[in-house]
Amino acid sequence: MWLRNSLYSIAYLNLLVSHLGAIYCLVVGISFNAALYLLVTYIVRMLATTVFFHRFISHKSFCPANRWVTYIGCFIACSAGQMGPSWWKVHHLNHHKYTDTNEDPHSPIAPHKGIIGLLYAEFAWVLVPKYAYPDELPIDIENDPILKLMDRLHFIPSLSLAYLSLLMGGMDFFLALCLSTTLLFHSNGFLNSIGHLYGKQDFMTKNSSRNNSFVAVLTLGDGWHNSHHAFPKSARHGYQVRHGRIAKVPDPTFWLIQLMGKLKLCHSIIEYSDDFLETKIKQK
Ligand SMILES: [Zn+2]
Ligand SMILES: [Zn+2]
């Protein structure tokens, strides 16, 4: 336990360096190439997080073709600097299980409300010891020796990417990576904070989740959070209700899962019919 917690602590050092680098980056600026690098590292790592950590590891909304697809996807997701598969899954499933209660790891309305609640859900919850160092981890991930190792050594992919950035473009690319990592952390934070405070509630969910198009853009589809809470196992989150009917809205994460399906990199993609989705439309 001591070793595991010490290894988890490294993520906080990573986040601190990324935030300081991001501030420095905004002060001194970066080249056009570094800005492109920032964009690419943001999109690739966001998609790895949403496709693998969220829609596969946490919700099993599709099935990768083999273990290597899972390992490569999770390795890239780890490079986002938001811990590994076991840590990510345990908190995310607890969020679904205990949404809006004091047991919810990152609710903007419990235990705190208002601006404090918003900041708590956005980032401060990761500083609470019981969440930083969870007692229990998901059995299925812990039973896979490679995923378990990846969870404990979650910092290796992000350190490798930092080293690669320095090799490719020196300090310019390193600062771009710091800003990219910081934006990734806060975009996912927006999902927890804004995604439960502002936006439309298209479906009946018995919780505060919202469909927020701004967060959906930042998270490449995960911001359709009310739809996700209504249908957690659906590989597609991009649904809204317009004039009482289901409307499919942009969900790049789902597009990637569809592409992976076409390339035979995954199968058993869970999608529901409009008739089924309509049974949960929130009546005005
Ligand atoms: Zn979820
Ligand atoms: Zn939620």
Side-chain angles (χ1 to χ4, degrees):
M1 190 68 98
W2 176 85
L3 178 63
R4 189 184 90 185
N5 290 348
S6 305
L7 292 170
Y8 280 167
S9 297
I10 296 172
Y12 295 92
L13 196 62
N14 190 352
L15 275 177
L16 179 67
V17 171
S18 297
H19 277 73
L20 292 175
I23 294 166
Y24 190 62
C25 177
L26 291 173
V27 171
V28 299
I30 49 173
S31 68
F32 179 72
N33 283 347
L36 280 182
Y37 183 68
L38 186 161
L39 191 65
V40 171
T41 52
Y42 180 91
I43 291 173
V44 171
R45 293 187 296 164
M46 178 60 84
L47 285 173
T49 307
T50 55
V51 169
F52 286 93
F53 277 6
H54 192 197
R55 300 194 199 186
F56 170 59
I57 290 282
S58 300
H59 295 292
K60 301 275 191 289
S61 59
F62 68 93
C63 185
N66 58 57
R67 290 192 171 280
W68 287 104
V69 175
T70 302
Y71 297 151
I72 292 168
C74 286
F75 187 87
I76 300 171
C78 283
S79 73
Q82 293 171 23
M83 299 282 196
S86 297
W87 192 96
W88 212 99
K89 178 170 181 169
V90 73
H91 294 315
H92 190 68
L93 289 192
N94 281 337
H95 167 61
H96 277 271
K97 193 172 172 186
Y98 302 113
T99 316
D100 297 342
T101 71
N102 284 351
E103 271 64 58
D104 184 346
H106 44 64
S107 168
I109 56 175
H112 311 287
K113 282 190 172 69
I115 187 70
I116 301 292
L118 187 132
L119 296 175
Y120 178 82
E122 166 65 32
F123 69 91
W125 71 276
V126 298
L127 304 171
V128 177
K130 70 173 173 175
Y131 299 132
Y133 311 113
D135 289 332
E136 287 181 24
L137 294 171
I139 301 287
D140 58 336
I141 309 298
E142 292 294 296
N143 283 341
D144 184 313
I146 304 283
L147 287 179
K148 183 176 177 179
L149 189 68
M150 220 182 276
D151 183 77
R152 305 308 190 270
L153 301 180
H154 58 92
F155 51 91
I156 299 288
S158 42
L159 272 183
S160 308
L161 186 61
Y163 182 62
L164 196 71
S165 305
L166 281 167
L167 280 183
M168 286 196 305
M171 207 56 183
D172 197 26
F173 272 40
F174 177 75
L175 291 181
L177 182 74
C178 287
L179 185 52
S180 166
T181 303
T182 304
L183 291 174
L184 280 170
F185 175 74
H186 289 289
S187 292
N188 276 328
F190 283 151
L191 205 52
N192 308 332
S193 55
I194 298 172
H196 274 266
L197 290 173
Y198 308 106
K200 243 177 106 204
Q201 292 189 300
D202 292 297
F203 298 99
M204 290 179 289
T205 58
K206 293 184 185 161
N207 62 52
S208 63
S209 60
R210 313 288 168 127
N211 283 337
N212 183 306
S213 46
F214 170 68
V215 182
V217 170
L218 290 178
T219 56
L220 304 178
D222 270 12
W224 307 119
H225 201 54
N226 174 251
S227 308
H228 173 52
H229 270 276
F231 309 101
K233 285 194 81 67
S234 172
R236 184 198 280 272
H237 294 187
Y239 295 110
Q240 274 189 335
V241 177
R242 291 180 188 155
H243 310 297
R245 303 305 300 267
I246 302 296
K248 293 186 173 73
V249 287
D251 184 351
T253 298
F254 179 66
W255 297 340
L256 180 57
I257 295 171
Q258 274 186 314
L259 179 66
M260 287 169 59
K262 288 197 173 81
L263 297 172
K264 307 279 182 238
L265 292 172
C266 74
H267 56 86
S268 309
I269 300 168
I270 298 176
E271 240 192 305
Y272 298 116
S273 67
D274 283 9
D275 285 346
F276 179 70
L277 296 168
E278 281 172 7
T279 62
K280 281 200 172 186
I281 289 179
K282 190 170 181 177
Q283 302 302 319
K284 298 285 182 282

